């Protein structure tokens, strides 16, 4: 199946810094989703994007659906210790027949130094 | 968002045995659920789509006879790993689709270790 290219693979930042990560795809997606996963747990949905060019915020998180529908970015402002974890982008194509599974990026491991 | 539970949260079994993992939707009726697998330090990979009242749809490379999926009701899907081997050791996560909001919500996952 297709893959999403997510970068960076890991980030080491100071508390209070802003964070930016992105995903690109060779295919067009109709939905982009950003998840956070803590160790030993399932992913938790952060932001969902449905339209090309859409910019959506959730607290300190902001994500955008690229105009070409082949990319998306996630920004975290003023990072805090609880932001530590692995962030995944996920995309979904619309088959027209019903619900579709997600294609995930490889994740960005965020590490925050106090 | 929808609340999804999985049982068990972890399981250790001997090679050759079968293991059943349950995925329940606690507050939502889901006609479609998804099963993913995640190996250590890797991303989630879709295994199959579970459809209530019909056969599951498997992704390429996933053996349908090894990973049996039963979606018996709108709130329960089960994944049975048959004749498990050490290479099947992984984190198995289910999700369900909220068609109204076009979002997927994940369960907490089941850690399978095959000795």
């Amino acid at each position: 199946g297709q893959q999403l290219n997510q970068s960076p693979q890991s980030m080491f930042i100071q508390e209070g810094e802003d964070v930016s990560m992105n995903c690109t795809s060779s295919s067009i997606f109709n939905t982009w989703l950003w998840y956070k996963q803590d160790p030993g747990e399932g992913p938790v949905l952060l932001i969902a994007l449905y339209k090309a060019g859409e910019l959506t915020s959730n607290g300190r998180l902001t994500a955008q659906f690229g105009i070409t529908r082949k990319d998306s970015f996630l920004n975290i402002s003023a990072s805090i210790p609880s932001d530590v974890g692995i962030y995944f982008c996920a995309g979904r194509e619309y088959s027209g027949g019903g619900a579709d599974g997600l294609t995930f990026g490889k994740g960005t491991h965020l590490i925050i130094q106090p | 968002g929808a609340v999804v539970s999985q049982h068990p949260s972890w399981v250790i079994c001997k090679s050759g045995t079968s293991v059943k993992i349950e995925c329940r939707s606690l507050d939502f009726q889901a006609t479609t659920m998804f099963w993913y697998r995640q190996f250590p330090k890797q991303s989630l990979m879709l295994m199959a789509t579970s459809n209530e009242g019909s056969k599951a749809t498997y992704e390429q490379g996933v053996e349908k006879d090894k990973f049996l999926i039963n979606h018996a009701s709108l709130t329960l899907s089960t994944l049975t790993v048959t004749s498990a081997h050490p290479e099947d050791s992984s984190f198995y996560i289910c999700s369900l689709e909220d068609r109204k909001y076009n979002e997927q919500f994940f369960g907490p996952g089941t850690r399978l270790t095959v000795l």
Side-chain angles (χ1 to χ4, degrees):
Chain A
Q2 59 179 300
Q3 289 187 335
L4 298 182
N5 299 309
Q6 184 172 350
S7 65
Q9 189 174 11
S10 59
M11 299 183 72
F12 295 82
I13 63 168
Q14 299 284 338
E15 183 178 351
E17 289 186 16
D18 296 343
V19 173
S20 183
M21 60 191 78
N22 68 84
C23 274
T24 60
S25 169
S26 57
S27 302
I28 290 174
F29 285 108
N30 288 285
T31 304
W32 281 93
L33 303 159
W34 285 92
Y35 290 88
K36 179 175 184 278
Q37 185 179 30
D38 291 326
E41 299 182 12
V44 174
L45 181 64
L46 299 174
I47 292 180
L49 302 161
Y50 306 110
K51 297 180 182 179
E54 179 181 354
L55 181 70
T56 298
S57 294
N58 178 7
R60 294 179 295 107
L61 278 61
T62 302
Q64 185 160 29
F65 193 146
I67 291 291
T68 64
R69 296 200 287 166
K70 293 183 178 182
D71 63 294
S72 177
F73 72 74
L74 174 70
N75 289 339
I76 305 173
S77 63
S79 59
I80 59 177
S82 61
D83 291 335
V84 166
I86 302 178
Y87 292 79
F88 289 100
C89 64
R92 181 172 58 199
E93 297 176 281
Y94 178 60
S95 67
D100 297 291
L102 301 177
T103 300
F104 278 81
K106 293 188 176 182
T108 295
H109 191 179
L110 180 61
I111 300 167
I112 299 176
Q113 301 167 334
Chain B
V3 180
V4 185
S5 71
Q6 282 185 238
H7 178 80
S9 56
W10 59 270
V11 56
I12 301 173
C13 69
K14 293 182 179 180
S15 184
T17 60
S18 294
V19 175
K20 180 185 284 188
I21 302 171
E22 292 185 349
C23 176
R24 290 185 183 273
S25 171
L26 301 184
D27 59 353
F28 190 83
Q29 291 188 328
T31 55
T32 303
M33 292 185 179
F34 302 93
W35 286 97
Y36 294 81
R37 180 167 53 183
Q38 185 178 30
F39 292 108
K41 297 186 179 181
Q42 294 190 23
S43 186
L44 285 79
M45 296 294 292
L46 179 66
M47 297 176 65
T49 302
S50 172
N51 304 300
E52 189 266 336
S54 64
K55 292 183 179 180
T57 305
Y58 290 83
E59 295 299 300
Q60 192 173 10
V62 178
E63 300 175 56
K64 63 179 181 180
D65 294 330
K66 181 170 183 62
F67 298 99
L68 302 179
I69 292 173
N70 187 332
H71 195 150
S73 74
L74 291 173
T75 59
L76 174 64
S77 175
T78 61
L79 168 69
T80 301
V81 183
T82 62
S83 187
H85 289 95
E87 56 265 31
D88 297 325
S89 298
S90 187
F91 195 48
Y92 291 87
I93 314 172
C94 69
S95 74
L96 58 83
E97 172 88 1
D98 182 337
R99 298 292 297 276
K100 181 179 179 181
Y101 296 104
N102 240 11
E103 297 174 354
Q104 282 197 18
F105 297 95
F106 286 82
T110 296
R111 172 75 59 193
L112 171 63
T113 302
V114 185
L115 303 177

